[in-house]
Amino acid sequence: MIATLRFAPDAAGIARAAALLRSGALVAFPTETVYGLGGVATDDAAVLGIYAAKGRPSHNPLIVHVPDLAAAERLALFDDAARALARAFWPGPLTLVLPLRPDAGLSRHITAGHPTVAIRVPAHPLAQQLLRETGLPVAAPSANPSGKISPTTADHVLDGLSGRIAAVLDGGPCAVGLESTILAPGTPPRLLRPGGVPAEDLARILGQNPARPADAPLPEAPGQLASHYAPDASVRLNATDPQPGEIWVGFGPCPGAALNLSETGDLDQAAARLFDILRRADRLAGPVGRIAIAPVPLTGLGLAINDRLSRAAAPRP
């Protein structure tokens, strides 16, 4: 166990976080989606350290974060469709899965044996400053124990990883609150994980709706494991009222709900609140408790919210 430091979101904190990353240490940092657990993506030991700190299966690939499209093109091969998507949504909550350049120099553990790499340009100003100060690509899955609820505050990170990582750069709550959308451009383009960019927005750039393939036995991208984002309590979905002993999480008008993703039925607000609400419901339910979640529409960010909830409710391995 090590003492995990908390850095302020200022120039000194960014410089200390970047120095730790360059030394091979692990540092959690905020993005607009969730907090990421960063390690330099060209450093085998750092990348393996990410898997160890999270207890993450080695067959589950990592996302590489870079500050801009030019840096991304040094790591992956872009075609016209990929560039159009990058120009439309970067910086922002979109991850592209693209062919890995042979000379990219990334740790072989990043891709989990696939010939592709998942890559994105985060929009959060602290993430941008940290990446530029570090000067290297940074692998960063969500900064939580594998399979558990993703973190949207520095306190969430410390709840799960204190003593396992060197530091967390505290940037306050994450604005989007859901992980990035993951898309593999191609014919057809494939939506590997719904997330912070709604599928409808992707379709406007692609000229077609992306296909939604079934999860593969060996994940091609993060977020494809059947059980994920899971509280300790069991989860029941599409609950219009609670059963005895359940903590009911509402959406829209739900008189009697203990917690509510959005009282007004706002999907942006529900996405930003989702993981914090799941944590609060889990504390109320207790270690052997039960959580019931009201129905959430499947449009816009609702697709990503329902994806996270269905994995939270899946049978645990």
Side-chain angles (χ1 to χ4, degrees):
M1 297 284 283
I2 58 176
T4 300
L5 304 172
R6 187 195 294 246
F7 295 148
D10 55 21
I14 292 165
R16 294 176 70 189
L20 281 172
L21 285 170
R22 287 194 299 270
S23 76
L26 305 183
V27 176
F29 63 95
T31 77
E32 70 277 19
T33 59
V34 301
Y35 274 71
L37 177 56
V40 169
T42 55
D43 183 332
D44 276 344
V47 172
L48 288 173
I50 292 172
Y51 284 103
K54 285 177 59 70
R56 184 184 180 94
S58 61
H59 64 265
N60 196 4
L62 304 176
I63 295 173
V64 176
H65 292 65
V66 293
D68 51 41
L69 175 57
E73 292 207 80
R74 290 194 287 271
L75 305 178
L77 297 170
F78 282 70
D79 60 14
D80 289 344
R83 286 193 189 90
L85 289 160
R87 290 179 180 128
F89 298 111
W90 281 357
L94 175 67
T95 294
L96 295 175
V97 175
L98 301 168
L100 178 67
R101 282 190 176 277
D103 58 349
L106 298 178
S107 167
R108 63 185 179 86
H109 305 290
I110 293 282
T111 63
H114 294 286
T116 53
V117 61
I119 194 164
R120 91 172 180 103
V121 176
H124 196 293
L126 278 181
Q128 277 284 324
Q129 293 171 63
L130 180 62
L131 289 168
R132 293 182 188 281
E133 180 81 12
T134 303
L136 294 164
V138 173
S142 57
N144 58 293
S146 184
K148 295 299 184 181
I149 303 171
S150 297
T152 54
T153 69
D155 284 341
H156 293 167
V157 175
L158 292 170
D159 283 346
L161 296 179
S162 183
R164 301 189 200 180
I165 65 175
V168 56
L169 181 61
D170 188 349
C174 299
V176 175
L178 290 172
E179 293 86 354
S180 61
T181 300
I182 301 181
L183 184 81
T187 307
R190 293 175 298 129
L191 180 62
L192 301 179
R193 180 179 74 184
V197 175
E200 296 91 336
D201 293 350
L202 295 174
R204 283 193 285 272
I205 301 299
L206 294 166
Q208 61 181 304
N209 291 317
R212 183 80 193 277
D215 293 339
L218 292 178
E220 186 176 352
Q224 294 186 304
L225 298 177
S227 177
H228 208 17
Y229 318 106
D232 291 329
S234 63
V235 176
R236 182 170 68 93
L237 303 181
N238 299 313
T240 53
D241 53 57
Q243 296 175 355
E246 288 183 327
I247 301 300
W248 189 29
V249 176
F251 176 80
C254 290
L259 300 164
N260 201 306
L261 293 169
S262 174
E263 294 83 354
T264 61
D266 183 286
L267 288 169
D268 289 341
Q269 183 180 53
R273 288 181 173 181
L274 175 63
F275 291 135
D276 186 61
I277 291 281
L278 279 178
R279 288 171 182 270
R280 290 166 60 189
D282 204 27
R283 288 195 295 270
L284 290 172
V288 294
R290 294 177 293 141
I291 300 168
I293 312 282
V296 177
L298 281 164
T299 56
L301 287 179
L303 181 65
I305 293 169
N306 279 283
D307 173 79
R308 305 308 188 268
L309 289 174
S310 66
R311 295 178 196 276
R316 313 291 164 81

